[in-house]
Structures are given as structure tokens and as C-alpha cells.
Amino acid sequence: MSPKQKRRLLTISFLIIGLGTGVTLVLMALNENINLFFTPAQVAAGEVPPGSRFRVGGMVVPGSVEKAKDDITTWFKLADLSEQVQLQYAGILPDLFREGQGIVAEGRLNEQGVFIADQVLAKHDENYMPPEVEAALKPKDFSY
């Protein structure tokens, strides 16, 4: 192999290694920032990857909202058409948060199966529902 061919092979090798490293870093960064959406039925069925951060959406179950003595921590249940999930949120809830209202919460499941929310988003008026929640609450049409 001539010196020119060796140099060309070395340059191509470095380019491939550099490109592979760059693609790997980009994919790792994207993977850390993905927030998947799940319904309470999917969470109850165990479809959520363990330890992952995700969003869950549904309707706040009437009569399920409980405030702690510190007035910061709130427990409530979120439901879709078939299942319920227990949520815990430490913080100030949005002004539009109330029982029977559609919400989307972002966070993680703990070992006991309770969703620990970092953020709670409530809909802004009585006509709006987040698209993910609306799709999850619609009955499935299985016509062929």
C-alpha cells in the first residue's frame, strides 16, 4: 500500500469514527429529552418503562383530591375510561385544577406505583382538552 493510500484510509477511518461519535451523542441527547404520553390504563397495565420520565393524562376523579397538612403536597387520582392512577404533586396546582377536570401530569412512577408529578397542566377552558387526553378518552372503534 502506498503512503497516499494509507493517508486516505486513515482520513476515511477518522471521518467514520467522528461521524459515528457525533450520531451517538445526538441520539443520547434526544433519548434523554423524550417524554412519552401514557393513559392511566397503560400505566396500570405496566406498559411504562421502569424509571422513565413520561406524561399521563386523564380526568381528575371527583372526591379523590387530598391535601397534606403542609398545603403543598396533593394526592389525587387520574382516570380514563377504564383505569385509575394515584398521583402525588408537591407544589402549587394550576388555578384551573379541580375535580372532574382534564389534566396532563409529567413525572415518574415510584416503587409503590404512585405517579410522582413534577408538573401539572390543566386545560384552559371548558371546551379545550389536550389532544392526547381527548384521544385516550374516546372509545376505540374496532370496525373492520
Side-chain angles (χ1 to χ4, degrees):
M1 194 182 297
S2 71
K4 189 174 185 178
Q5 288 175 331
K6 286 181 183 179
R7 205 172 338 126
R8 192 176 295 155
L9 181 63
L10 190 61
T11 302
I12 291 172
S13 298
F14 281 132
L15 285 174
I16 290 173
I17 290 171
L19 184 63
T21 303
V23 168
T24 302
L25 291 174
V26 167
L27 290 176
M28 286 174 53
L30 288 174
N31 192 28
E32 290 176 4
N33 292 322
I34 291 176
N35 283 326
L36 300 174
F37 178 84
F38 291 96
T39 64
Q42 291 172 313
V43 174
E47 295 180 24
V48 177
S52 67
R53 185 172 171 75
F54 64 97
R55 291 180 182 182
V56 63
M59 305 296 269
V60 178
V61 176
S64 70
V65 178
E66 299 174 14
K67 289 220 179 247
K69 292 180 182 178
D70 62 5
D71 266 348
I72 298 288
T73 306
T74 306
W75 289 273
F76 57 95
K77 291 184 180 176
L78 196 61
D80 59 5
L81 294 175
S82 59
E83 294 290 336
Q84 295 183 359
V85 175
Q86 180 74 34
L87 278 83
Q88 176 185 340
Y89 178 68
I92 299 171
L93 289 166
D95 292 336
L96 297 174
F97 177 88
R98 61 182 170 274
E99 296 176 354
Q101 194 77 5
I103 67 150
V104 174
E106 188 175 321
R108 301 177 193 277
L109 276 179
N110 67 7
E111 295 80 26
Q112 293 79 28
V114 175
F115 185 83
I116 308 299
D118 301 328
Q119 185 177 22
V120 173
L121 307 169
K123 66 182 194 174
H124 64 72
D125 68 13
E126 58 275 344
N127 297 324
Y128 175 78
M129 185 172 294
E132 297 95 349
V133 175
E134 187 173 11
L137 292 176
K138 281 186 181 176
K140 305 291 185 226
D141 181 25
F142 293 105
S143 60
Y144 294 100

